[in-house]
């Protein structure tokens, strides 16, 4: 043991059996290092091969080489651990500095609030003592005027612009490190070495404002360069045009910018900004980039209003970037906007009045992007399908930009609206501009014509109640067959050229008629990209790309139920099997934005079915509709946009198809949202009421009573404190109920039953009993039960996806109600598993 430890410290020594050390020659160390980089843990055979291939190692025993590799791995592990601890120490030191600065700022803010409170108390007392003295009003007014001084007028000359810039810098710094804004901690955000940073939102301030402080492993100049390129990281930013650039005498730069932001939904217009941006270096070496809107109050240069845009205001905001000891930067970000909420319907105004949403979409997005760039530089690994992180990030931006363009449909991009069919629930736009159609394949493949001289977009928005966006989005992702039409998927896929066949792909998870192939995770855990291989298309093989296969590039974000005010989005586009970088991307998808957010985040363990309604108590009584204990949002707006490539002479037919398809998707989403909602359950045909309601409790009692009556034993073992329904739901054996009809369909299943059928309670009634059994099983099941029950020996059945399932035994019995009338048939599959 002593020899191994010593060798960890000195890599050029080896331990001999007699306890003496013998040094390796430089040539021997070089040969061993070459092999170590090829294979850090060589087998015995490989070590012997190394001795044969390298004569200079011929005097070394294989056992000694084994010890050398052990010691080399030990040193490598120690080096990595030391490097990690040094990085953590630097991060903690910088974080401690940030926290101390934040503490100083809070102390100043407390002092100011105490002073203001004393001042206004004194003014109130003076007003009370001299109610007839009109001078009291002027005293209070002058006090208020002193707290909020007016901006002096400016002009468009270089000196006037510099004056505006210096004023903007002062106001920005007072928000970033001073007490100009009362900041409160962002709900759900806790500072720490692994957190994104210290995030706060404004309290009692005009407009919406957010502030963040964090650490990034990039130098200040690089940070400023990245943040200035706002379209690269701010997904809502359509474009930033630099109209003019001026250099200042102090080495700074003034830029006049025109910026456009996409509208997040079809129900609101887009925003634009006319901005001044000032970049300068402070005396302590900190780099500052600050911005503000130019308006009539400064008498600066003007920008005429643009059609279909609402001119919003950016109040003094920006970035304070300071070099950090040991490398990297400490950054303070402030975003302060007035988004003119008066211009949107009242139901949507929370989107434009929420500082939390601004923090999620803008302030925190900037920090995440910087951290991702830093990680890519330090770990330049190749990820899914041979793509580097930067290439995947570009694909992500391409998907987001294409979806935003579809939702907004700007005329300057070639979009024009089609006439309505009399019902305004779905809006249709067409685009046949050459720039839009560039790159679309015009050949034929897979038996479908590859259409390519126009694009039609069908879009709509809808209000959702009492369903968390993250849960609904996860359901849409994992259960595509619940809402998608496979024929239209094939139609959309025909727009891209078929690639080489027989290409092996990584095996992924199977969900609802699709195989999800993990591609990459980007922007930490906030967003991930994947490739969807749709099942039952062409000659299906899960591990190969075959002729006729359909692939979708899919981007998913906002699935964290704990995040407060997060927008959930699922976008996808058909892709070529070759997955080339210049392949056309025509995205479609869903965006769900919360309209009001609670302080309590949703549970991350909530399932995608109705089992969550079993939890009744402090978290909220779901049977009565009180979901305030678990749901972070009770209202949200969903925007749907689907794009179709087509030939212009087929426009009328494609428009009819697109309207019907989007309307069917809306109906499916409403049905799914109803099922996932803890309160909006109605009475439906058959048994669709959720577990946790009185009807569900009654059914569970009937199932257990009937089983005990026919078989003479208890079905479940449960304690008195637990309900029968909850025990039945979590039973490991699959329990399913079907109707007493000529063609029985399933009406209820516990969690194991849903897993076995590979379905959900929403889609359960679409599955008939005969679909899962073979001919012999159907004959036995459809026979009259001589004694009200029957037992089946081990056999094979099928899931709703056609996967074979083996079971040790199955029991079937009639379920009777309190009036002794047959209600349904119940099945229990014991020890089942997929074959």
């Amino acid at each position: 043991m002593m020899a191994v430890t010593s060798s960890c410290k000195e890599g050029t020594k080896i331990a001999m059996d007699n306890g003496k050390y013998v040094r390796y020659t430089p040539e021997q160390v070089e040969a061993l290092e070459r092999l170590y980089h090829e294979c850090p843990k060589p087998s015995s055979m490989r070590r012997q091969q190394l001795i044969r291939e390298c004569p200079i190692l011929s005097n070394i025993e294989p056992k000694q080489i084994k010890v050398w590799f052990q010691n080399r791995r030990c040193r490598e592990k120690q080096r990595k651990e030391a490097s990690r601890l040094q990085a953590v120490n630097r991060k903690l030191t910088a974080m401690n500095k940030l926290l101390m600065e934040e503490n100083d700022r809070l102390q100043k803010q407390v002092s100011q609030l105490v002073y203001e409170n004393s001042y206004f108390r004194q003014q109130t007392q003076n007003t009370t003592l001299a109610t007839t003295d009109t001078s009291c009003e002027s005293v209070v007014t002058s006090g208020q005027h002193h707290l909020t001084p007016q901006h002096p007028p400016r002009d468009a000359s270089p000196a006037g612009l510099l004056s505006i810039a210096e004023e903007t810098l002062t106001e920005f710094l007072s928000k970033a490190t001073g007490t100009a804004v009362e900041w409160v901690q962002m709900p759900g955000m806790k500072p720490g070495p692994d957190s994104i940073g210290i995030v706060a939102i404004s309290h009692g301030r005009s407009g919406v404002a957010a502030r963040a402080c964090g650490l990034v492993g990039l130098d200040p100049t690089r940070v400023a360069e990245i943040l200035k390129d706002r379209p690269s990281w701010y997904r809502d930013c359509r474009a930033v045009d630099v109209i003019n650039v001026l250099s200042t005498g102090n080495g700074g730069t003034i830029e006049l910018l025109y910026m456009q932001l996409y509208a997040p939904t079809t129900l609101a217009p887009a925003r634009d900004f006319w901005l001044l941006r000032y970049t300068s270096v402070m005396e302590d070496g900190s780099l500052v980039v600050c911005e503000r809107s130019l308006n009539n109050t400064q008498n600066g240069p003007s920008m005429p209003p643009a059609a279909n845009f609402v001119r919003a205001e950016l109040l003094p905001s920006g970035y304070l970037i300071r070099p950090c000891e040991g490398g990297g930067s400490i950054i303070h970000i402030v975003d302060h906007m007035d988004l003119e909420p008066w211009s949107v319907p009242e139901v949507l105004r929370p989107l434009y009045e929420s500082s939390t949403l601004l923090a999620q979409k803008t302030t925190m997005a900037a920090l995440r992007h910087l951290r991702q760039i830093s990680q890519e530089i330090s770990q330049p690994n190749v990820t899914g399908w041979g793509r580097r992180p930067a290439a995947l990030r570009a694909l992500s931006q391409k998907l987001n930009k294409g979806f935003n363009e579809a939702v907004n449909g700007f005329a300057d991009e070639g979009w024009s609206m089609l006439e309505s069919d009399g019902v305004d629930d779905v809006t249709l736009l067409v685009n046949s501009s050459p720039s839009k159609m560039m790159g679309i394949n015009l050949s034929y493949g897979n038996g479908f014509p590859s259409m390519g001289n126009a694009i039609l977009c069908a879009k709509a928005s809808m209000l959702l109640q009492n369903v968390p966006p993250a849960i609904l989005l996860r359901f849409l992702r994992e259960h595509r067959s619940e809402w998608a039409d496979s024929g239209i998927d094939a139609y959309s896929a025909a727009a891209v050229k078929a690639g080489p066949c027989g290409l092996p792909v990584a095996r992924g998870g199977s969900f609802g008629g699709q195989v999800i192939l993990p591609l990459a995770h980007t922007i930490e855990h906030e967003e991930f990209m994947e490739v969807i291989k749709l099942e039952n298309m062409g000659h299906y093989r899960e591990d190969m790309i075959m002729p006729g296969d359909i692939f979708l590039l899919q981007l998913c974000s906002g699935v964290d139920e704990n995040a407060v005010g997060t927008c959930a989005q699922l976008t996808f586009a058909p892709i070529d099997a070759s997955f080339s970088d210049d392949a056309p991307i025509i995205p479609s998808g869903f965006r769900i934005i919360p309209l009001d957010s609670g302080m309590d985040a949703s549970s991350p363990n909530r399932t995608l079915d109705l089992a969550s309604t079993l939890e009744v108590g402090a978290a909220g009584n779901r049977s009565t509709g009180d979901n305030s204990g678990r749901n972070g949002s009770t209202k949200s707006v969903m925007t749907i946009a689907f794009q179709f490539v087509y030939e212009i002479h087929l426009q009328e037919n494609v428009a009819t198809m697109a309207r019907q398809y989007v309307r069917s998707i809306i109906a499916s989403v409403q049905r799914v949202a109803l099922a996932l909602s803890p309160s909006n359950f109605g009475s439906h045909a058959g048994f669709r009421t959720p577990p946790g309601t009185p009807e569900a409790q009654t059914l569970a009692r009937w199932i257990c009573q009937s089983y005990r009556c026919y078989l003479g034993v208890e079905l479940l073992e449960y304690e008195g404190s637990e309900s029968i329904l909850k025990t039945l739901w979590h039973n490991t054996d699959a329990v399913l109920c079907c109707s007493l009809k000529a063609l029985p369909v399933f009406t209820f299943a516990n969690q194991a039953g849903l897993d076995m059928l590979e379905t959900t309670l929403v889609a359960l009634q679409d599955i008939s009993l005969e679909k899962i059994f073979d001919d012999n099983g159907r004959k036995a099941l459809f026979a009259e039960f001589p004694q009200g029950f029957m037992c089946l020996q081990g056999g094979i059945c099928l899931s709703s996806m056609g996967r074979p399932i083996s079971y040790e035994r199955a029991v079937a019995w009639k379920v009777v109600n309190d009036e002794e009338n047959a209600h349904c048939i119940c099945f229990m599959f014991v020890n089942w598993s997929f074959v």
Side-chain angles (χ1 to χ4, degrees), residues 86-296:
Q86 288 173 358
V88 171
N89 183 63
R90 288 195 301 268
K91 199 170 185 180
L92 288 173
T93 301
M95 183 65 70
N96 181 63
K97 183 178 179 181
L98 272 178
L99 291 173
M100 291 176 64
E101 292 175 354
E102 181 70 4
N103 184 59
D104 291 340
R105 189 193 65 80
L106 290 173
Q107 288 180 352
K108 292 178 182 177
Q109 183 173 341
V110 169
S111 300
Q112 180 174 335
L113 290 173
V114 170
Y115 171 78
E116 292 179 1
N117 182 59
S118 175
Y119 174 83
F120 285 115
R121 183 185 294 114
Q122 181 66 37
Q123 296 303 317
T124 303
Q125 291 173 353
N126 292 339
T127 304
T128 304
L129 294 174
T131 56
T132 59
D133 187 356
T134 57
S135 65
C136 292
E137 181 179 354
S138 63
V139 170
V140 176
T141 303
S142 64
Q144 292 174 342
H145 178 77
H146 174 73
L147 293 174
T148 56
Q150 297 296 316
H151 299 294
R154 302 288 186 249
D155 56 40
S157 66
L161 291 176
L162 180 59
S163 177
I164 297 174
E166 293 290 352
E167 183 181 88
T168 303
L169 173 61
T170 301
E171 292 191 37
F172 160 66
L173 292 176
S174 70
K175 296 176 184 179
T177 61
T179 58
V181 175
E182 182 181 350
W183 299 107
V184 295
Q185 184 173 305
M186 172 90 167
M189 296 296 297
K190 295 182 179 180
D194 296 324
S195 69
I196 191 172
I198 303 172
V199 184
I201 56 177
S202 64
H203 175 68
R205 187 76 177 184
S206 62
V208 291
R211 187 188 70 135
C213 311
L215 314 172
V216 293
L218 301 168
D219 64 85
T221 304
R222 178 63 173 147
V223 171
E225 177 187 335
I226 293 171
L227 292 176
K228 283 185 175 183
D229 185 15
R230 194 178 262 111
S232 70
W233 57 266
Y234 186 20
R235 297 299 170 82
D236 286 351
C237 184
R238 184 191 184 202
V240 176
D241 295 330
V242 180
I243 306 301
N244 196 8
V245 181
L246 301 172
S247 296
T248 63
N250 59 4
T253 302
I254 295 176
E255 299 168 277
L256 301 183
L257 312 175
Y258 176 63
M259 179 173 71
Q260 292 182 342
L261 301 185
Y262 290 110
T265 173
T266 62
L267 303 176
R271 264 54 181 164
D272 67 350
F273 298 81
W274 173 230
L275 304 172
L276 178 145
R277 181 164 68 196
Y278 181 37
T279 305
S280 63
V281 179
M282 301 180 67
E283 293 180 357
D284 62 356
S286 299
L287 185 60
V288 180
V289 180
C290 56
E291 300 172 323
R292 77 170 309 149
S293 285
L294 291 171
N295 49 44
N296 294 333

Side-chain angles (χ1 to χ4, degrees), residues 390-412:
L392 294 175
R393 192 173 66 251
L395 280 173
S396 169
Q397 293 169 354
K398 204 172 180 181
L399 275 169
N400 274 287
K401 185 176 180 63
F403 184 71
N404 276 323
E405 289 176 354
V407 170
N408 286 261
F410 293 117
D412 59 5

